[in-house]
Amino acid sequence: MTNTLDRLAPSESQDLVSSGPVDTERVADLVGQLLAAIGEDPEREGLSDTPARVAAWWRGFFSPEPSAAPTSFPEQHLSGQLVVVGGMSVWSLCEHHLLPMNLDVAVGYVPDGEVIGLSKFGRIAQQYAGRLQVQERFTRQVADEIAVVLGSSDVAVAVRGTHLCMSARGVRMEAARTTTLQAGGRFESDPVLSQQFLALATDRWRVA
């Protein structure tokens, strides 16, 4: 298992730009060429509609639902409480091999007078997963975006990834997992809070 730890960095504008529109007609044509190049007949039964299906998948993958405006709820008596939202599983594509990676995401934050609607965290994870990615950058992007939404750097994001580029090719180590952690604010300066977050965020990973 690979583990990386990083501090919460300022959001970079280029990270917020998703992929442009997908040219499904050209993608379908290229998939047909690929099938022919590997010795298949793209016109045979079973493959004749494959290029169009693949093109439609790429279009859907690069067009996640827009992240709605966050819904917040006033809660004036939550000083110092730790909130951890886990079990958010998203699929992304490794930009080095164009192979899928499954990312299990957990987010921690400390409310200050209000709490954020829980579905917002999942939508942010989906937003940054729907593009060519590397797990380390994805972890930082999710943390940066949540910090912006909260208006606070007291955010931590832990991600556990299963990468087909490692489990299905190359060394083919199916049990390999990569864990990344991005921490800022109190999660960086308060070791007790940091350990509490890690214990809650990674508990389900230890039995998975």
Side-chain angles (χ1 to χ4, degrees), residues 64-120:
E65 293 185 13
S67 185
T71 301
S72 60
F73 307 94
E75 289 289 345
Q76 300 298 324
H77 306 289
L78 292 180
S79 177
Q81 186 176 101
L82 169 62
V83 176
V84 177
V85 184
M88 296 179 288
S89 180
V90 296
W91 286 92
S92 191
L93 279 179
C94 165
E95 67 180 32
H96 301 139
H97 303 97
L98 299 187
L99 287 174
M101 53 182 174
N102 181 244
L103 305 174
D104 196 353
V105 183
V107 174
Y109 78 104
V110 180
D112 183 14
E114 63 180 13
V115 295
I116 303 298
L118 298 178
S119 63
K120 179 64 177 179

Side-chain angles (χ1 to χ4, degrees), residues 145-163:
E145 182 76 4
I146 292 173
V148 170
V149 169
L150 293 172
S152 168
S153 62
D154 295 337
V155 175
V157 175
V159 179
R160 187 182 193 232
T162 303
H163 298 248

Side-chain angles (χ1 to χ4, degrees), residues 5-202:
L5 170 65
D6 203 355
R7 296 180 178 181
L8 197 59
S11 178
E12 300 178 17
S13 59
Q14 62 266 32
D15 291 340
L16 303 179
V17 179
S18 58
S19 303
V22 174
D23 185 340
T24 53
E25 184 175 340
R26 187 178 182 199
V27 171
D29 179 62
L30 291 170
V31 172
Q33 294 181 48
L34 174 63
L35 290 171
I38 62 175
E40 281 286 357
D41 176 10
E43 301 299 326
R44 73 169 172 82
E45 184 180 4
L47 286 181
S48 59
D49 294 327
T50 295
R53 283 193 294 262
V54 173
W57 178 85
W58 279 93
R59 181 182 58 201
F61 176 79
F62 284 117
S63 305
E65 293 185 13
S67 185
T71 301
S72 60
F73 307 94
E75 289 289 345
Q76 300 298 324
H77 306 289
L78 292 180
S79 177
Q81 186 176 101
L82 169 62
V83 176
V84 177
V85 184
M88 296 179 288
S89 180
V90 296
W91 286 92
S92 191
L93 279 179
C94 165
E95 67 180 32
H96 301 139
H97 303 97
L98 299 187
L99 287 174
M101 53 182 174
N102 181 244
L103 305 174
D104 196 353
V105 183
V107 174
Y109 78 104
V110 180
D112 183 14
E114 63 180 13
V115 295
I116 303 298
L118 298 178
S119 63
K120 179 64 177 179
F121 299 104
R123 291 187 184 279
I124 290 174
Q126 288 177 334
Q127 173 187 351
Y128 286 102
R131 61 188 67 180
L132 300 181
Q133 271 289 13
V134 296
Q135 180 177 330
E136 296 86 347
R137 183 170 67 234
F138 168 84
T139 307
R140 177 174 54 81
Q141 289 172 333
V142 171
D144 286 352
E145 182 76 4
I146 292 173
V148 170
V149 169
L150 293 172
S152 168
S153 62
D154 295 337
V155 175
V157 175
V159 179
R160 187 182 193 232
T162 303
H163 298 248
L164 264 66
C165 58
M166 187 173 186
S167 60
R169 63 167 294 282
V171 293
R172 297 187 181 182
M173 294 182 176
E174 296 183 11
R177 301 291 184 270
T178 298
T179 304
T180 47
L181 173 66
Q182 187 88 26
R186 292 176 57 187
F187 288 95
E188 184 180 355
S189 61
D190 185 339
V192 173
L193 183 66
S194 178
Q195 287 301 315
Q196 289 175 337
F197 167 71
L198 288 173
L200 292 170
T202 65

